Amino acid sequence: MGTRPAGPLRRGARILWTRRSAAFGLFVVVAILAVAVLAPWVARRDPLQQRLLERLKPPGTPGHLLGTDNFGRDLFARIVYGARISILVGVVSVAIAAGLGSAVGLLGGYYGGTLDHALMRVVDVLMAFPLILLAIAIVAFLGGGLFNLMLAVGISSVPPFARVVRGEVLAQRTRDYVEAARALGAGGGRLMGRHLLPNSLSPIVVLSTLRISTAILTESSLSFLGLGVAPPTPTWGSMAAEGTKFLQTAPWISIVPGAAIMIMVLAFNLFGDGLRDALDPRLKGEGGLRTKEE
Amino acid sequence: MIIVGRRRLFTVLACALVLAVVTGPVLSQQSVRYSLAPVIVSAYPRDFRSMDPAHIPGSPDYQIALNVFSGLVRYKGNSLDVEPDLAERWRVSPNGQVYTFFLRKGVKFHRGFGEFTARDVKYTFERILNPATRSRYRASMLIVDTVEVVNDYTVRVNLKAPSASFLAGVLAFRPGYIVSQKAVEQLGDRFAFNPIGTGPFQFVSYTPRQELVMEAFPEYYRGAPSIKRIVWKVVPDENVAGLALQKGEINHMIVRDPQVYKALQRDPNLAFTATPTTGWWEFSMNTRRKPLDDARVRRALAHAVDRDTFIKTVLEGLGSPAYSLIPPGMIGHTNEVEKYPFNAARARQLLAEAGYSGGVRINVVYEPAEYADLMVTAMQQWFKDIGVDLQLIKLEAGAWTARRQSGDYDITISGTTRFDPDQFLTEQFHSASFPPGGNQSFYAAIDDMIEAQRRAINTRERARILAEIQKKVAADVPFVPLFNPVYVTAYHKSQKGHALNTAHWMTRFEFVKIER
Amino acid sequence: MAYLVQRLLSTLPTVVGVVTLAFLLIHIAPGDPAELLLGDYTGVTPQVLADLRARLGLDRPLVVQYLTYVGSVLTGDLGKSFRTNQPVMSEIAAQAPFTVVLAAAGVLLAIVVGVPSGIVSAVRRNSLTDYITTTIAMLWLSSPSFWFGILLIYILAYKLGWFPVFGAGTPGDWRSLASHLVLPAAAIGVRSAALIARMTRASMLEVLHQDYVRTARAKGLGHYAVVYRHALRNAAIPVITIIGLDIAYLLGGAVVIETVFARPGLGKLVVDAIYARDYPMVQGAIMIFAFGILATNLLVDLSYAVVDPRIRYA
């Protein structure tokens, strides 16, 4: 960077870099989705089939592209099927978070007053509760299982959605079209559903993409602590967690799922960033939207 | 170009700063492995809870108590036979109910708490019997009626009934460790973390969740031990502990995870002592629920299990196949029982006979501890191969205890280690112990035999009854034992004298020396 | 000052909310603390169980238990741990410093590594260095912390031997404490470091184009001075925001890191207490966590005023 002022060339390069990384992110996300959907065809082997005598084979062994794990299950197949669970966990928990959070934000932002105060207090309480502890508590108390896991991760992601949506609603509430609609007799529900919510969609979408990666990482930490999904369901998180004890004897068992998580999270982050830049550049730098992990 | 220079300068400065921060600490590392000081630094997977013999909750605490206390008798070498410890010799009355112990003279308690006398023995036993102490070992002490101090070095214990396991199962085990009356009265609650005993090592300090330090007791009646200091560090992840051992930050650890063992084996500086334990891991079937109420189904599941491959592969050889209720090494063990060898075809046949040829679904409720995860994963495949869909319900400690006690499960997994049949027969197979007790299979067919073996004083008679029990249980198959685990102690090769006792696969450091 | 008091007061309802939530969660969980405490005690009779439950105060109605607890908290008594019978406060006081130190070290590392990387990245924008730094930053940001932690141990502590494998170090020996802190801080702080790097880069890029920067440069001030005095100041606010928002994550992430690195601390304390259904310990520890998070938020807000003179609190 020299003494020249930033010209259109610089700015263009920057947008291109952002777009390119976002495009890369999107590409990877779509690829993972495709693999997940087409799992039975992509992975030629059964991820659950154990062959104890073929365990701990390294990648490159004929018939096992990525090797086998402690029970002789094909690692490649488990990674492919694991993509399904990871995406499912990510999407469902974020859907829960977005749903609950947006509802809270909409109601609070629109009606204001005591309701808003009360709702925001609840959100504050959730925010002051360390994320992982909340997830541990929910999983520990409701039992294991996929749904409870998604619920736990989802609930712990509610605060950012609530805050962002509320912020949007507060900003929109004073706009002309809202006044106009109200003058025409539109009730709260209609206003929220027809106008406020759709206009808040872009931050919700951006935040969703970014929070999917948080969800995946939280699931892996819970698996490490023993609170993840019960076997034999392969999830990248539990595979990485169980694999750590094989670092010296069969490192691929942990490294491959860990790398898979990294790539997927990276992709969602890049894509989310790109979305944010594209949809609403003014959102950049705002604390509420940046990824808050785990 | 000054601009480039400044930027470079900044980068260089930043790197220098980072390097400075890093090299300082690097220079301050110590390696325990390479020093020949008589110090043991060992790792334990969880924090210590209570070293009071009346309350010892589990392994790490037992490991401490083992080295800090002595009992009237102790296990000999690598067996479950007993030899004199605080009692030089003893006499048993013909009816088997009166034990007279002649105590060793001149035995000192740690930290100046005086000399050991018969009064401490009386105090120790009565304390455990006292409901106010809420000792978890009270039940095993209930066989004791009264304790009399005959004189300073003679104590008489009157039992309510003859008991074959009094010496090996009670006195040599945790509740039998003699505590100093003076110390308990003085320290009260604090005794749990400041134990005063007569053993080879005395307690020095405890830093919660971090470490516990013991040092040699110079006035130990068998002579001061060669090891001068033992430091126990809490390391929850066994994998990390293994790395620390290889690096030399610790020089001793107990290895239970087969993978950690496998990794450690490659290190030429380490030596290992492996001990088969008198423990077993099994799955219990709820005989009150369909389809497990049908013995044919249970036998089918027993046939579905491939112990040998499991032990050889998943356990990396750290175990031996278990077929019988009583593990090898324990009194009365016999392998002449119905074994249900691995035979998937036979299993399917049995299921068909019972009417389940179309498949059946059962659940297993378990806590993800130690071998449970490995077992349920293997079981799922074994059962799938014979047409049984095994549903896994994984719960954490509190929730699992609640579920187990409610009896709401088809199968549960558990692992136990005991030293005498009396310690588990009632608890796990007597009808008085249905859940919330420990009889997880709701088995009620051997109540009278359990009571008979307890009354038998004659060892041969007792062994006979125990053999009958084992045969009956194997025939009824309310539970399927899978393997007897082998635990390994890994330590730097400069340590000599390690020999694990089957009873407590933990190290008695008075026998260990460090030499080149 | 008035602002400070007002802020402190306004955090009270939140703390009450957190404690109530913790209370409810732990009390409705399956698993009876008394039964768990008695464990393998084969002499458990209904009487023994009832006695213990009464002693622990579990036989009273939930509302009564709640109010009793709140009452005792207001007098500063957090109760006694079910498991060790020692005051909860003293156990927490013994463990909390480790977690605080870990989180602080993580933040420090995040700033020390993140800010310079962000600057370098912004200044050498779109060059190879930029791409590489950003990609590495993003990759770190994306990895599970326990996995990253164990890899760090394996490579840096074991294979290369540069750092100790586990533990917190010898108390009192600052060098030992420091060397034991590096890897855990790296594992816990690297995510924040990556975020801070990105944010610094973004802020600096925005600012470096602004008029006042051009003016300053036109005035002939050295490049160095321009970068540091003007642009960095502006980047400070978003960075501080990140740190503030990250504290909850850092404190929560301590659970995993403390387990992996065998360090003492609140994280593991709370998890163990949850498993053992040690109600007073869970409630007390979570309350302290909440206080910690809220206190940090306050600190963050106050530091905005320090960094940017335009921000003032009445």
Side-chain angles (χ1 to χ4, degrees):
Chain A
M1 170 143 167
T3 46
R4 300 177 264 122
L9 202 63
R10 285 269 152 199
R11 214 175 294 136
R14 181 159 139 224
I15 294 181
L16 195 62
W17 159 234
T18 328
R19 281 243 184 89
R20 209 171 22 182
S21 53
F24 170 72
L26 179 62
F27 171 69
V28 171
V29 168
V30 168
I32 295 180
L33 267 169
V35 162
V37 165
L38 299 173
W41 292 275
V42 176
R44 248 85 59 67
R45 287 175 172 268
D46 180 356
L48 305 181
Q49 182 64 39
Q50 301 171 19
R51 280 178 235 280
L52 289 184
L53 297 172
E54 280 176 45
R55 58 193 281 270
L56 301 182
K57 295 255 181 276
T61 319
H64 297 288
L65 185 62
L66 290 176
T68 60
D69 73 353
N70 194 18
F71 284 89
R73 295 175 293 204
D74 181 48
L75 203 61
F76 180 65
R78 286 177 73 74
I79 292 280
V80 165
Y81 278 87
R84 285 191 164 180
I85 305 286
S86 297
I87 293 197
L88 191 66
V89 168
V91 168
V92 171
S93 51
V94 167
I96 294 175
L100 282 175
S102 305
V104 167
L106 267 176
L107 289 170
Y110 183 72
Y111 287 114
T114 347
L115 179 65
D116 182 34
H117 230 70
L119 284 175
M120 281 305 115
R121 279 281 168 260
V122 171
V123 170
D124 278 346
V125 166
L126 275 181
M127 278 194 95
F129 219 95
L131 211 78
I132 198 103
L133 287 185
L134 188 60
I136 288 175
I138 295 179
V139 170
F141 303 157
L142 294 180
L146 200 53
F147 182 69
N148 288 336
L149 185 68
M150 296 191 284
L151 185 67
V153 176
I155 290 184
S156 47
S157 275
V158 162
F161 283 97
R163 289 211 160 170
V164 162
V165 171
R166 178 175 177 271
E168 270 299 307
V169 168
L170 285 177
Q172 305 262 349
R173 204 169 54 163
T174 51
R175 291 267 189 89
D176 291 338
Y177 76 88
V178 171
E179 298 285 342
R182 231 190 275 158
L184 286 174
R190 200 193 171 96
L191 263 174
M192 286 195 280
R194 276 277 190 100
H195 302 283
L196 294 172
L197 183 58
N199 281 311
S200 313
L201 266 182
S202 52
I204 292 180
V205 167
V206 171
L207 192 57
S208 299
T209 348
L210 296 173
R211 297 304 289 189
I212 287 184
S213 37
T214 314
I216 296 171
L217 288 172
T218 311
E219 185 266 320
S220 67
S221 285
L222 287 176
S223 295
F224 176 72
L225 293 173
L227 294 168
V229 175
T233 321
T235 74
W236 291 353
S238 56
M239 285 162 70
E242 282 158 22
T244 51
K245 57 176 123 158
F246 295 91
L247 263 183
Q248 292 189 267
T249 48
W252 57 90
I253 297 185
S254 178
I255 297 205
V256 173
I261 293 179
M262 272 170 69
I263 294 176
M264 171 128 125
V265 168
L266 176 66
F268 271 105
N269 281 343
L270 285 176
F271 179 50
D273 277 352
L275 260 187
R276 178 177 60 198
D277 287 349
L279 289 180
D280 203 345
R282 102 179 127 87
L283 291 175
K284 192 178 6 199
E286 205 165 285
L289 275 189
R290 69 164 250 326
T291 39
K292 175 166 163 255
E293 317 304 331
E294 280 191 346
Chain B
M1 291 248 312
I2 306 173
I3 296 168
V4 174
R6 286 254 172 92
R7 210 179 301 139
R8 281 259 166 81
L9 180 66
F10 159 70
T11 324
V12 167
L13 278 173
C15 291
L17 174 69
V18 170
L19 258 149
V21 166
V22 161
T23 41
V26 168
L27 297 173
S28 78
Q29 287 196 79
Q30 306 150 314
S31 176
V32 189
R33 163 199 291 204
Y34 303 115
S35 86
L36 286 176
V39 173
I40 301 277
V41 182
S42 183
Y44 231 95
R46 68 160 175 77
D47 196 16
F48 306 95
R49 296 213 201 115
S50 171
M51 288 159 277
D52 182 339
H55 298 301
I56 298 172
S59 331
D61 322 275
Y62 186 28
Q63 170 77 88
I64 307 298
L66 184 62
N67 286 286
V68 165
F69 291 99
S70 331
L72 292 177
V73 296
R74 68 178 190 183
Y75 295 113
K76 181 161 66 178
N78 195 21
S79 70
L80 291 176
D81 300 330
V82 300
E83 65 179 6
D85 202 359
L86 284 178
E88 284 183 324
R89 54 196 169 80
W90 56 92
R91 246 194 349 236
V92 185
S93 70
N95 69 354
Q97 283 177 240
V98 183
Y99 285 72
T100 312
F101 294 97
F102 300 95
L103 307 176
R104 208 179 277 261
K105 301 185 177 57
V107 176
K108 297 259 184 7
F109 278 109
H110 304 148
R111 307 250 171 254
F113 272 91
E115 204 186 320
F116 157 71
T117 68
R119 270 181 294 280
D120 296 296
V121 178
K122 180 176 160 79
Y123 180 76
T124 302
F125 293 172
E126 287 180 348
R127 178 173 180 248
I128 294 187
L129 283 169
N130 185 349
T133 314
R134 255 200 326 274
S135 165
R136 56 174 60 220
Y137 299 104
R138 182 163 179 269
S140 50
M141 268 295 185
L142 280 175
I143 192 86
V144 172
D145 191 18
T146 59
V147 184
E148 305 160 23
V149 173
V150 173
N151 60 49
D152 270 356
Y153 301 107
T154 315
V155 63
R156 186 167 299 139
V157 180
N158 299 305
L159 303 183
K160 291 179 185 145
S163 161
S165 63
F166 185 55
L167 286 177
V170 180
L171 294 187
F173 191 51
R174 302 169 191 178
Y177 288 145
I178 306 299
V179 303
S180 154
Q181 173 174 7
K182 192 162 146 199
V184 176
E185 285 170 353
Q186 197 174 312
L187 295 170
D189 264 349
R190 289 192 331 244
F191 186 76
F193 281 102
N194 198 347
I196 303 291
T198 52
F201 291 89
Q202 52 189 355
F203 169 81
V204 172
S205 68
Y206 167 59
T207 317
R209 317 190 90 76
Q210 285 186 273
E211 66 176 33
L212 188 147
V213 182
M214 307 190 323
E215 68 187 13
F217 179 44
E219 294 163 276
Y220 179 51
Y221 56 88
R222 288 183 212 260
S226 160
I227 300 286
K228 292 298 167 219
R229 194 173 159 87
I230 307 180
V231 179
W232 300 93
K233 298 213 180 245
V234 179
V235 186
D237 190 315
E238 199 172 306
N239 199 18
V240 170
L243 287 175
L245 180 64
Q246 290 178 270
K247 187 176 170 199
E249 280 178 31
I250 63 176
N251 59 10
H252 171 274
M253 72 179 275
I254 293 185
V255 182
R256 296 210 258 187
D257 188 324
Q259 285 312 309
V260 175
Y261 175 55
K262 195 163 155 193
L264 290 177
Q265 276 181 305
R266 300 172 174 195
D267 192 322
N269 284 313
L270 299 179
F272 303 90
T273 308
T275 308
T277 60
T278 49
W280 62 96
W281 278 79
E282 39 106 337
F283 62 88
S284 297
M285 296 172 279
N286 188 337
T287 56
R288 281 194 172 171
R289 281 212 183 168
K290 280 193 171 326
L292 298 167
D293 54 347
D294 186 333
R296 287 170 297 191
V297 173
R298 299 200 300 271
R299 285 188 200 121
L301 293 184
H303 275 297
V305 168
D306 184 0
R307 292 173 181 80
D308 292 323
T309 311
F310 181 75
I311 293 172
K312 192 172 74 165
T313 56
V314 177
L315 291 187
E316 308 282 352
L318 283 186
S320 52
Y323 297 101
S324 169
L325 172 59
I326 295 182
M330 198 184 285
I331 180 178
H333 162 75
T334 170
N335 245 0
E336 308 205 344
V337 299
E338 177 72 59
K339 288 199 185 62
Y340 306 104
F342 174 50
N343 189 335
R346 175 99 186 104
R348 265 180 251 121
Q349 189 186 16
L350 281 167
L351 277 179
E353 274 174 42
Y356 294 103
S357 51
V360 62
R361 164 183 281 199
I362 52 181
N363 69 39
V364 58
V365 177
Y366 69 104
E367 180 193 2
E370 290 187 69
Y371 301 106
D373 272 319
L374 295 175
M375 281 168 63
V376 299
T377 312
M379 278 162 65
Q380 208 167 34
Q381 182 70 48
W382 289 329
F383 291 1
K384 187 167 121 177
D385 288 342
I386 63 165
V388 174
D389 178 19
L390 185 66
Q391 204 196 3
L392 268 46
I393 301 180
K394 180 164 81 163
L395 299 174
E396 52 80 37
W400 181 68
T401 310
R403 184 86 182 247
R404 182 169 50 96
Q405 289 174 335
S406 71
D408 176 19
Y409 51 82
D410 291 333
I411 300 184
T412 91
I413 307 282
S414 54
T416 321
T417 307
R418 295 283 189 268
F419 317 120
D420 184 279
D422 256 345
Q423 292 172 329
F424 65 92
L425 279 177
T426 312
E427 180 189 312
Q428 294 185 11
F429 295 95
H430 196 288
S431 59
S433 308
F434 282 177
N439 186 344
Q440 279 150 224
S441 44
F442 290 94
Y443 187 59
I446 54 168
D447 285 2
D448 42 354
M449 286 203 267
I450 292 179
E451 281 146 28
Q453 65 84 32
R454 196 187 304 142
R455 283 192 306 264
I457 332 165
N458 182 319
T459 320
R460 237 192 344 226
E461 169 68 8
R462 190 178 182 217
R464 191 193 63 78
I465 303 180
L466 288 172
E468 286 304 309
I469 291 182
Q470 290 172 80
K471 286 196 174 66
K472 175 99 174 84
V473 171
D476 289 341
V477 65
F479 85 120
V480 177
L482 254 60
F483 61 93
N484 309 114
V486 167
Y487 290 152
V488 174
T489 315
Y491 48 91
H492 190 249
K493 61 185 182 189
S494 62
Q495 295 170 31
K496 308 278 184 255
H498 275 287
L500 295 183
N501 180 297
T502 308
H504 33 68
W505 33 269
M506 293 172 212
T507 315
R508 292 192 278 191
F509 283 100
E510 69 180 279
F511 302 119
V512 177
K513 288 190 204 335
I514 294 191
E515 46 186 69
R516 213 167 273 284
Chain C
M1 185 37 71
Y3 173 74
L4 201 66
V5 173
Q6 183 202 30
R7 272 297 293 269
L8 282 171
L9 284 178
S10 73
T11 61
L12 276 179
T14 316
V15 175
V16 170
V18 171
V19 174
T20 312
L21 181 62
F23 182 89
L24 281 173
L25 279 179
I26 191 87
H27 274 78
I28 62 178
D32 179 21
E35 283 173 357
L36 283 170
L37 269 179
L38 290 172
D40 322 318
Y41 178 21
T42 45
V44 178
T45 62
Q47 187 55 45
V48 167
L49 198 59
D51 284 343
L52 184 56
R53 299 195 80 232
R55 197 179 73 93
L56 297 175
L58 295 171
D59 53 343
R60 289 172 289 170
L62 207 60
V63 179
V64 172
Q65 287 187 49
Y66 177 67
L67 290 172
T68 322
Y69 181 68
V70 171
S72 67
V73 167
L74 288 175
T75 59
D77 173 21
L78 290 181
K80 291 209 177 136
S81 157
F82 284 172
R83 240 190 20 199
T84 64
N85 216 30
Q86 301 302 314
V88 166
M89 198 51 172
S90 60
E91 282 214 42
I92 291 182
Q95 302 296 316
F98 290 100
T99 307
V100 169
V101 165
L102 179 62
V107 167
L108 190 66
L109 192 124
I111 297 177
V112 163
V113 170
V115 168
S117 323
I119 294 175
V120 165
S121 213
V123 158
R124 285 172 170 280
R125 199 191 53 201
N126 290 336
S127 65
L128 196 60
T129 328
D130 184 19
Y131 289 149
I132 292 182
T133 324
T134 318
T135 314
I136 294 183
M138 299 287 283
L139 277 179
W140 282 346
L141 184 67
S142 321
S143 61
S145 57
F146 69 87
W147 188 78
F148 190 66
I150 293 191
L151 276 181
L152 280 179
I153 293 180
Y154 185 61
I155 298 175
L156 292 183
Y158 170 59
K159 281 279 190 213
L160 293 174
W162 290 351
F163 299 98
V165 170
F166 71 96
T170 326
D173 177 357
W174 75 263
R175 271 155 131 231
S176 168
L177 293 172
S179 68
H180 280 86
L181 203 49
V182 174
L183 290 186
I188 210 177
V190 83
R191 205 190 310 283
S192 309
L195 284 171
I196 289 179
R198 281 172 62 199
M199 194 51 76
T200 313
R201 178 182 181 276
S203 293
M204 291 211 43
L205 282 177
E206 279 177 7
V207 151
L208 282 169
H209 302 308
Q210 305 248 343
D211 282 341
Y212 70 85
V213 171
R214 270 191 239 140
T215 318
R217 246 188 272 126
K219 277 205 225 156
L221 293 174
H223 184 89
Y224 202 66
V226 161
V227 168
Y228 281 94
R229 233 183 278 152
H230 299 273
L232 206 54
R233 259 266 181 78
N234 195 71
I237 296 210
V239 168
I240 295 178
T241 313
I242 291 184
I243 295 173
L245 286 170
D246 248 5
I247 282 298
Y249 151 68
L250 282 174
L251 288 176
V255 172
V256 171
I257 298 298
E258 281 166 8
T259 306
V260 171
F261 286 89
R263 291 180 66 89
L266 274 189
K268 197 86 193 350
L269 180 72
V270 170
V271 173
D272 288 346
I274 293 179
Y275 285 171
R277 303 292 190 268
D278 190 349
Y279 293 172
M281 185 62 80
V282 173
Q283 287 153 207
I286 291 189
M287 182 164 68
I288 300 297
F289 256 112
F291 262 123
I293 292 173
L294 293 169
T296 321
N297 286 344
L298 183 60
L299 269 174
V300 164
D301 284 349
L302 287 178
S303 55
Y304 284 151
V306 167
V307 164
D308 188 345
R310 287 174 297 172
I311 300 178
R312 268 278 166 263
Y313 300 108

